[in-house]
């Protein structure tokens, strides 16, 4: 298990590598975000900031999420229901979305196979496929 200081040094290096100035607030946010692979909303992150006792404004949280997304550090999953999830797992994979608990779970690419895809114009090629399976209690 990596120490908090070692994690912060690793995160600071990653931010610099991505052209982001590692301010105290960005490091604190990155520590909450990148300490494990996870899915979260901005609202979830704001709650974590509050629990941790960090002095970070809502605007800074949203701006930092936008910056991390723009620099390719976070993937977004838009639920088209006023809810946008952030995903720290940047590898190609699929998701199960529980509409009742508002949670997302990863599905590995090996668990889904496509037997047919729609016709794609010749000028384009499939870059990646992502499946979102929505579930609810019976």
């Amino acid at each position: 298990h990596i120490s908090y200081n070692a994690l912060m040094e690793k995160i600071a290096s990653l931010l610099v590598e991505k052209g982001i100035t590692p301010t105290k607030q960005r490091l604190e946010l990155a520590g909450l975000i990148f300490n494990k692979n996870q899915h979260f909303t901005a609202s979830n992150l704001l709650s974590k900031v509050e629990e941790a006792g960090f002095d970070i404004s809502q605007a800074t949280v949203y701006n930092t999420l936008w910056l991390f997304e723009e620099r390719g550090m976070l993937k977004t999953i838009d639920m088209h229901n006023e809810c946008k999830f952030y995903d720290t797992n940047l590898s190609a994979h699929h998701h199960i979305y529980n509409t009742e608990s508002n949670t997302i779970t990863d599905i590995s690419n090996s668990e889904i196979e496509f037997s047919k895809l729609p016709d794609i114009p010749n000028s384009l090629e499939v870059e990646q496929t992502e499946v979102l399976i929505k579930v609810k209690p019976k």
Side-chain angles (χ1 to χ4, degrees):
H1 198 72
I2 190 168
S3 76
Y4 182 77
N5 287 343
L7 177 65
M8 286 297 110
E9 283 178 31
K10 190 174 173 185
I11 288 170
S13 298
L14 177 64
L15 293 182
V16 169
E17 184 183 302
K18 296 286 183 180
I20 300 170
T21 305
T23 65
K24 179 179 185 281
Q25 292 163 319
R26 286 176 182 159
L27 286 170
E28 289 172 341
L29 287 170
L32 294 174
I33 293 169
F34 300 111
N35 62 352
K36 63 182 181 215
N37 263 346
Q38 60 183 328
H39 305 99
F40 62 93
T41 63
S43 175
N44 298 147
L45 185 57
L46 286 164
S47 296
K48 286 183 180 187
V49 164
E50 206 172 282
E51 285 169 27
F54 294 147
D55 185 23
I56 304 174
S57 72
Q58 183 173 323
T60 298
V61 169
Y62 278 95
N63 289 336
T64 302
L65 284 172
W66 176 86
L67 184 60
F68 288 176
E69 178 187 351
E70 199 239 355
R71 298 293 164 91
M73 297 172 67
L74 287 172
K75 187 157 77 172
T76 57
I77 306 157
D78 189 349
M79 293 310 194
H80 305 289
N81 65 354
E82 300 301 308
C83 190
K84 177 180 182 179
F85 280 88
Y86 295 89
D87 190 350
T88 57
N89 181 353
L90 301 179
S91 68
H93 63 284
H94 309 287
H95 295 102
I96 293 175
Y97 173 55
N98 184 317
T99 57
E100 177 146 307
S101 64
N102 199 36
T103 54
I104 291 186
T105 310
D106 285 347
I107 306 170
S108 81
N109 270 3
S110 63
E111 292 183 67
I112 292 182
E113 288 182 18
F114 295 95
S115 59
K116 185 176 184 324
L117 289 173
D119 288 334
I120 307 286
N122 288 339
S123 61
L124 302 173
E125 66 178 332
V126 174
E127 184 179 326
Q128 183 177 319
T129 54
E130 287 185 19
V131 173
L132 175 68
I133 300 170
K134 292 184 179 182
V135 297
K136 65 181 181 185
K138 286 185 178 179

